[in-house]
Amino acid sequence: MPLDKAQTPFTLAKLPYAENALEPVISARTISFHYGKHHAAYVSKLNELVAGTPYEGLSLEDVVKRSAGNEKDKAIFNNADQAWNHDFYWHSMAPKGGEPTGKIKEALQSSFGGLKEFKDAFTKAALGQFGSGWAWLVKGKDGKLKITTTSNADSPIAHGEKPLLTADVWEHAYYLDYQNRRPDYIAAWLDKLANWSFAEKNLG
Ligand code: MN3
């Protein structure tokens, strides 16, 4: 399902793989809570919140963009953004992530100096995100790739940037498998799961 075409009432998009497909990096147990409870709750709460409001009938992406920065619609933003981010996160991982090739490899080379330099910078950002949030590889307005983080519920799409890949660094993403060891989760995520063909497709 193209994310930008989803409309209210929103449904929980299907995972692009089986719940155990990311083992041993992320367990089926983590995915079943993360997708089946956390992600599902954002979607159902969002449907409750937008019912009867001007947001009803908009695409999920438009709900995120239009509610961003609007204090009175903060709850709508939080749930819409988390629904969008999670869908993007599931696609940012693949059971066999592999290595970047082609256009995305070249872009990593010209923006960071190479894959290793990218991984170092992404790791630093993901570990430096205090508390809950997200680490992103984005295409900035100047066309260059860069790494950003967002806190709690927030997304580059709310700030005019184009996300290519994201890692969820809320504790619920890794606590059952890694407890407080976020560095181990991020290292394994980058080496084994990062979905480079998805990132390349998002380069556009
Ligand atoms: Mn999450």
Side-chain angles (χ1 to χ4, degrees), residues 1 25 40 46 97 109 152 156:
M1 175 209 65
V25 180
L46 177 63
Q109 187 73 41
N152 301 317

Side-chain angles (χ1 to χ4, degrees), residues 35-71:
Y35 169 73
K37 304 283 186 204
H38 292 275
H39 186 180
Y42 295 126
V43 174
S44 63
K45 187 69 190 171
L46 177 63
N47 283 327
E48 267 174 44
L49 290 169
V50 298
T53 75
Y55 291 102
E56 202 168 5
L58 296 182
S59 72
L60 182 57
E61 193 167 327
D62 281 341
V63 174
V64 172
K65 288 176 176 170
R66 292 194 199 181
S67 60
N70 186 341
E71 208 42 49

Side-chain angles (χ1 to χ4, degrees), residues 66-130:
R66 292 194 199 181
S67 60
N70 186 341
E71 208 42 49
K72 110 180 145 41
D73 294 332
K74 188 76 180 161
I76 289 177
F77 175 76
N78 285 342
N79 285 282
D81 186 86
Q82 285 293 82
W84 195 94
N85 285 3
H86 280 89
D87 210 5
F88 196 83
Y89 172 64
W90 305 128
H91 286 88
S92 293
M93 301 183 286
K96 289 196 171 80
E99 297 273 303
T101 56
K103 274 197 309 181
I104 188 71
K105 184 181 179 182
E106 287 166 27
L108 291 170
Q109 187 73 41
S110 69
S111 301
F112 301 103
L115 179 60
K116 183 184 180 303
E117 288 79 2
F118 159 74
K119 284 183 178 178
D120 289 347
F122 191 89
T123 300
K124 196 173 166 203
L127 302 187
Q129 169 57 38
F130 185 76

Side-chain angles (χ1 to χ4, degrees), residues 34 86 168 172:
H34 197 179
H86 280 89
D168 188 339
H172 66 222

